[in-house]
């Protein structure tokens, strides 16, 4: 790693944190030598999570039953804020990693590593490096993609597309993988791999979105531990308990503001429900609204990082520094807005023409039995999960809000629901939330605590975790839909 | 004919005509619906909404309802339905949740009539009331069903399913007020149109979404539902609780289901994904579709019978952008291609065999044998005898159990123990082994030994007679030709059996062919006769083909070849003489027609030995006369050995190899020999025949084998006094200078085999202890223990 050498000037070695104005050295080893936080998440105060945990027998039971690592890892701890969901999550994850399936166990973990590497998610990589070795994987593979069999390497293309621009997946990609030859994939294997890839891309979103801390057990040191989770400034990683810094006081400052924000949001939701029948937008307008939302997501550039230093610099930095890039090829390939200005128009994915319930499920379940039911249950669970509360208010119907979140994610991936009025998104999701959603789903590695904090300030952490779950599942479903559609087209 | 006339009356005198045909649409279809007059069909999809006239030879586009420069989402149809009372009335369900009605009678180009924008989500289904002109029902993704009166602007009533999305709604054809709705969570609800507050009845029909339902056109209570769980279920709704009367398992999730007119038990289905075909099922025969239409290249999205009283025309629309008319008589019928027999082995060698009942009945003549010997468990399963119809097959399933012990390898153990492999002259060894084999009922093997003897030892008349004798005995003690014939005429009857044989890597099917060919020579017959001596029984002998019998029967294959080569020129006159025995097929016929013959041993015996003895004598004579050098046969013998080895009887191969020694060894490559040896030794060790295996190892000439018993031969012993390992000699301890193992009988040091009782650990010389135990069962050391030796 010749980080110093690659930088044109000494000044480029330093970054200015946009938040606390501290000067950061670009050298990651120094910056992230020790996470400053305790608890499972850097974003959520430890006590929030722990409180929930100690009460929960159910979680412990679930962990014993399904956890692949056999312990309560940080992801599980954060998710256990929503036990109902946690169960279906763990069940499906356990099934795809441990139960009968077309792929051998080490391969599954390696695919997980490949998927997580697309987002430089060292947390997941570390976790699965361990599991990979435990299940008898060949240690040499961990040296990078050049060391794995061609067959696995072939998966790289689809991994890349699926992670960043799933709409580009065509049946030709599938054909290339399954066409008979030395390194071909059988369809069930491919489906298994696709499910794993989508799962881990989405999970990476969750990990970054919820600021999951590295597991702290000393016995594991694969050399990855020291890699930065991100270009985090200390203040980003900081937990409320630990450091009182400028950003927090800033947050407190905005409380009055946010209270009224919340009221306004609830008001809008109520209005939306009532007004539905009266005000009907014309069809043209609906279409325009979708296009507008699609376009607008363009401008929602993922957050402050963009402003703090030049974009290109940021990307270079990312590429050079991450040790995880050994698991990927073409690391510069990232999310590109579905609706690019001035480019040829990609056809919108009509959700009604290829739905998860009707089509995706049948295909996936046919080729990789039972996973369909588990995923179906998980999607259903996350979509319908509600406690009828919003921040301090109770007995609120949050359906519209959940639907807006889910559909907004799909919108960014170019999936359109005919029966959805995308005007709602605009009304319900404030700009800071949109920034957050876009970052988490498209460039999760750029998520910062500031983004997490900046939206919905009055909401409970558990509710924000719920948002993350929604984003994660929506993203997974979007990726699956594109991949499965390509497979279906290949089949017909 | 009767049906035909009924159809004609129903159609008002003009029967439908047409052919199987299709036309290309511009875009994928989502749904189709037929006009009341059966002459027009409407196709709707995301970007298509057209009416086609069905003519005799082709579809003709009549009307494009998708008008306007920039088509709105209201025209993106998820479903379409044509009113069955009013030819001008259509309704569509749009993906954006709008229900649109269309009036073809409107003079303007735009036929759109009314727009109902009450649903919040995609409308999955619309349905007109079958008799009421103005009542329309819709079911939507938002979980609501709405009933519209077309004379009003709004819905008349809203029904809340209290659950997830509604996938289908269907008015009952018979009950004026009733409709059924199906849900994404697997439920089916029954509603009274007058009571929107709660459903009349609800039950869970499927696991996962129920995509479709259809009321039976004649039978009031029957409702067919199809779901994502790949099932079509038929429910009887007349009873207090909905009862599942039929269930059809398809291969993909069921997207549409439609009862076939005029056929009480038929329904058509198409699937949501993966499978593109349309199936017509007889619900009473749920495993094989009655008919199958394979025209579409992508999933079929809409099906409709062209006329409510004509069962032969089916229309379908598909994602592949085609509209098809299928004629029932052009359908492919999977039943005809299906294999009517099934055969399967159980874990312990039991065999189940299912075949058409008629087929089994023709074999009834043979049943007694099966019954006598093998205790078959016989099941008969008749499907719904009340209403038999063409194509309904009832099959008989027979399960044959293996005779206790017959699956065992006792013959192997016996043979291994009793064979003499060395230490005597070759002739004696061969005779001995032949005798052993014969006593175990393995006449092929016995025959082989005898032949080897003839080949390699100076032949004489004595041997010929003994051979002759053996054959005569063989054929009279057991039974008869029947076996082989049985085998022959069973084989063509039960095609699957031959198939099985092939799959088992067995060549018996070839044998059968060989047998039945008219070029049979007597020798073959002869061999078969002997084969039939096997303790196995015939019916099973061929049906079952368990390993042992395979070994026994298979050699038949080898021998026919062998004598053919063995008897070169000289044998011709003899063969000629024998040709007048009936040729194979005829023979076969005979026996099959008169199964009694097989029963009478006398008959068969009298038939068989005559031929066989002749032939065999002649063989030996021939050999005797020619004085061919034994080398002449060695290639043949090698072939024979390979044959045995391939058949799995590696025992025979190895035994012959050892017995013949140098005579054949050079002709078989080292590696093969080694392979045989290791397999045989492995087998022997599995049966705990350690001594035999050691003997084989010892007798083997292959280096790799003979070193097998040289490895790990050291037995380490510890001194019984100081507990230290005794390093130099096994009987005197170096440290305490005492003799470790004393014989309890003679009180001397035991230097060789030391045997001791595991109870009191006293022992001594093997011979001494054996002798002692003849007189007393107590320990010779006087410890009072009742010693036990195994």
């Amino acid at each position: 790693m010749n980080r110093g050498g690659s930088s044109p000037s000494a000044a480029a070695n330093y970054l200015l944190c946009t938040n606390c104005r501290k000067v950061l050295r670009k050298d990651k080893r120094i910056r992230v030598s020790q996470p400053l936080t305790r608890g499972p998440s850097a974003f959520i105060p430890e006590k929030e999570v722990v409180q929930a945990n100690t009460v929960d027998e159910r979680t412990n039971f679930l962990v014993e039953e399904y956890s692949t690592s056999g312990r309560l890892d940080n992801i599980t701890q954060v998710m256990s804020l929503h036990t109902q969901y946690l169960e279906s999550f763990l069940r499906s994850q356990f099934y795809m990693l441990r139960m009968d399936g077309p792929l051998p166990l080490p391969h599954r973990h390696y695919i997980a590593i490949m998927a997580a590497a697309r987002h430089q998610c060292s947390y997941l990589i570390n976790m699965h490096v361990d599991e990979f070795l435990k299940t008898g994987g060949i240690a040499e593979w961990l040296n990078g993609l050049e060391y794995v069999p061609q067959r696995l390497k072939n998966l790289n293309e689809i991994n890349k597309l699926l992670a960043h621009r799933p709409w580009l997946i065509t049946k030709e990609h599938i054909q290339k993988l399954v066409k008979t030859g030395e390194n071909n994939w059988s369809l069930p294997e491919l489906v298994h791999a696709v499910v794993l890839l989508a799962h881990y891309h989405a999970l990476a979103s969750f990990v970054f979105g919820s600021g999951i801390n590295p597991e702290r057990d000393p016995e594991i040191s694969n050399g990855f531990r020291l890699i930065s989770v991100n270009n985090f400034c200390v203040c980003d990683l900081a937990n409320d308990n630990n450091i009182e810094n400028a950003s927090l006081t800033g947050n407190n400052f905005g409380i009055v503001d946010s209270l009224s924000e919340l009221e306004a949001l609830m008001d809008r939701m109520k209005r939306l429900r009532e007004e539905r029948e009266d005000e009907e937008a014309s069809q043209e307008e609906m279409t325009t609204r979708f296009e507008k939302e699609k376009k607008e997501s363009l401008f929602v550039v993922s957050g402050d990082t963009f402003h703090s230093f030049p974009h290109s610099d940021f990307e270079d930095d990312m590429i050079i520094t991450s040790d995880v890039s050994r698991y990927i090829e073409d690391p510069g390939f990232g999310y590109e807005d579905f609706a690019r200005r001035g480019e040829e128009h990609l056809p919108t994915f009509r959700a009604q023409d290829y739905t998860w319930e009707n089509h995706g499920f049948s295909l996936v379940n046919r080729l990789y039995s039972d996973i369909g039911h588990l995923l179906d249950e998980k999607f259903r669970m996350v979509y319908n999960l509600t406690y009828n509360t919003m921040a301090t208010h109770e007995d609120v119907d949050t359906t519209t809000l959940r639907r807006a979140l889910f559909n907004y994610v799909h919108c960014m991936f170019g999936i359109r629901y005919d029966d959805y009025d995308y005007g709602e998104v605009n009304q319900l999701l404030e700009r800071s939330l949109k920034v957050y959603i876009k970052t988490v789903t498209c460039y999760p590695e750029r998520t910062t605590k500031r983004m997490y904090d900046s939206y919905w300030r009055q909401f409970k952490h558990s509710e924000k975790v719920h948002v993350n779950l929604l984003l994660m599942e929506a993203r997974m479903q979007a990726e699956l839909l594109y991949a499965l559609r390509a497979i279906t087209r290949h089949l017909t | 004919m009767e049906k035909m006339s009924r159809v004609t009356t129903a159609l008002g005198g003009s029967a439908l005509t047409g052919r199987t045909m299709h036309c290309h649409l511009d875009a994928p279809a989502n749904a189709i619906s037929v006009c009341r007059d059966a002459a027009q069909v409407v196709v709707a999809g995301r970007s298509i909404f057209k009416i086609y006239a069905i003519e005799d030879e082709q579809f003709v586009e009549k009307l494009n309802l998708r008008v306007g420069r920039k088509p709105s989402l209201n025209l993106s149809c998820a479903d379409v339905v044509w009113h069955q009372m009013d030819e001008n009335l259509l309704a569509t369900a749009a993906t954006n949740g709008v229900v649109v009605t269309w009036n073809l009678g409107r003079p303007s180009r735009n036929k759109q009539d009314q727009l109902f924008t009450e649903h919040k989500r995609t409308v999955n289904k619309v349905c007109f009331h079958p008799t009421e002109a103005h009542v329309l029902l819709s079911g939507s993704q938002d979980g609501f069903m709405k009933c519209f009166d077309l004379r009003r602007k709004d819905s008349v009533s809203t029904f809340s399913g209290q659950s997830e999305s509604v996938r289908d709604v269907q008015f009952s054809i018979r009950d004026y007020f009733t409709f059924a709705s199906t849900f994404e969570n697997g439920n089916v609800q029954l509603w009274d149109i007058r009571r929107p507050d709660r459903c009349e009845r609800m039950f869970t029909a499927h696991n996962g979404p129920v995509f479709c339902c259809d009321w039976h056109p004649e039978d009031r209570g029957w409702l067919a539902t199809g779901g994502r769980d790949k099932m079509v279920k038929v429910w009887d709704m007349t009873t207090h609780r909905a009862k599942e009367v039929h269930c059809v398992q398809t291969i993909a999730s069921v997207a549409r289901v439609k009862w076939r007119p005029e056929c009480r038990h038929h329904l058509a289905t198409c699937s949501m994904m993966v499978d593109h075909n349309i199936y017509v099922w007889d619900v009473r025969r749920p495993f094989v579709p009655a008919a199958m239409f394979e025209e579409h290249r992508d999933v079929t999205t809409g099906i409709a019978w062209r006329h409510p009283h004509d069962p032969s025309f089916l229309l379908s629309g598909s994602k592949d952008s085609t509209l098809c008319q299928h004629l029932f008589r052009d359908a492919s019928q999977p039943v005809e291609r299906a294999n009517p027999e099934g055969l399967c082995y159980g874990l312990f060698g039991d065999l189940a065999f299912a075949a058409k009942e008629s087929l089994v009945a023709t074999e009834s003549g043979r049943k007694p044998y099966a019954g006598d010997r093998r205790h078959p468990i016989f099941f008969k399963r008749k499907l719904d005898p009340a209403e038999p119809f063409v194509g309904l097959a009832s099959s008989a399933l027979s399960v044959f159990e293996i005779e206790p012990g017959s699956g065992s390898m006792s013959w192997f153990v016996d043979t291994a123990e009793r064979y003499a492999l060395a230490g005597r002259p070759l002739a004696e060894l061969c005779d001995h082994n032949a005798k052993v084999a014969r006593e175990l009922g393995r006449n092929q093997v016995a025959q082989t030994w005898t032949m080897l003897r003839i080949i390699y030892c100076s032949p004489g008349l004595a041997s010929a007679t003994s051979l002759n004798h053996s054959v005569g005995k063989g054929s009279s003690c057991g039974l008869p030709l029947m076996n082989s014939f049985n085998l022959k005429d069973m084989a063509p009857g039960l095609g699957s059996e031959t198939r099985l044989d092939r799959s088992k890597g067995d060549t018996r099917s070839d044998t059968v062919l060989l047998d039945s060919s008219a070029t049979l020579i007597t020798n073959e017959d002869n061999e078969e006769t002997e084969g039939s001596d096997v303790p196995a029984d015939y019916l099973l002998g061929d049906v079952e083909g368990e390993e042992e019998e395979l070994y026994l029967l298979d050699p038949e294959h080898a021998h026919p070849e062998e004598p053919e080569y063995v008897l070169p020129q000289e044998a011709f006159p003899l063969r000629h003489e024998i040709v007048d025995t009936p040729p194979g097929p005829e023979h076969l016929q005979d026996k099959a027609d008169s199964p009694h013959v097989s029963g009478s041993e006398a008959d068969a015996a009298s038939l068989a030995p005559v031929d066989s003895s002749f032939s065999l004598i002649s063989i030996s004579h021939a050999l005797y006369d020619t004085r061919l050098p034994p080398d002449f046969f060695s290639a043949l013998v090698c072939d024979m050995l390979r044959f045995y080895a391939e058949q799995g009887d590696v025992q025979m191969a190895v035994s012959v190899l050892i017995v013949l020694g140098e005579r054949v060894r050079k002709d078989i490559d080292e590696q093969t020999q080694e392979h045989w040896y290791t397999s045989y030794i492995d087998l022997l060790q599995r049966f705990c025949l350690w001594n035999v295996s050691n003997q084989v190892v010892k007798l083997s000439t292959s280096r790799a084998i003979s070193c097998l018993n040289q490895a790990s031969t050291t037995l380490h012993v510890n001194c019984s006094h100081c507990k230290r390992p005794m390093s130099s000699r096994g009987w005197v301890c170096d440290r305490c200078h005492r003799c470790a193992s004393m014989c309890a009988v003679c009180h001397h040091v035991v230097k060789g085999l030391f045997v001791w009782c595991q109870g009191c650990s006293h022992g001594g010389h093997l011979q001494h202890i054996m002798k002692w135990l003849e007189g007393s069962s107590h320990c010779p050391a006087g410890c009072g223990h009742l010693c036990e030796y195994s």
Side-chain angles (χ1 to χ4, degrees), chain A residues 276 283-284 350 352-354 357-359 361-363 366 376 380 403 416 418-419 488 492, chain B residues 46 72-74 76 95-96 120-122 164 167 184 211 228 251 253 272-274 276 298:
Chain A
R276 273 220 64 116
Q283 291 314 307
E284 287 71 27
R350 300 301 191 116
Q352 268 83 358
D353 288 351
Y354 200 94
E357 286 81 12
N358 296 358
H359 307 94
F361 172 90
S362 303
L363 183 68
R366 184 186 183 87
D376 198 37
R380 227 168 259 255
R403 200 169 161 214
R416 182 185 171 187
D418 287 344
D419 54 357
T488 309
T492 51
Chain B
R46 174 171 287 285
S72 79
L73 273 181
N74 292 348
S76 161
T95 49
N96 64 351
K120 292 200 187 76
R121 303 282 306 269
T122 300
E164 294 166 77
R167 300 307 304 238
E184 198 145 298
F211 286 140
R228 195 172 70 179
I251 58 165
S253 48
M272 185 71 92
M273 276 291 289
V274 189
H276 311 155
D298 201 341

Side-chain angles (χ1 to χ4, degrees), chain B residues 97-117:
Chain B
V98 179
V99 175
V100 194
T101 58
W102 307 80
N103 186 355
L104 301 181
R106 275 167 73 120
S108 69
R109 209 168 134 255
N110 189 353
K111 310 284 184 194
Q112 187 171 322
D113 194 20
Q114 286 205 68
L115 212 64
F116 301 99
T117 52

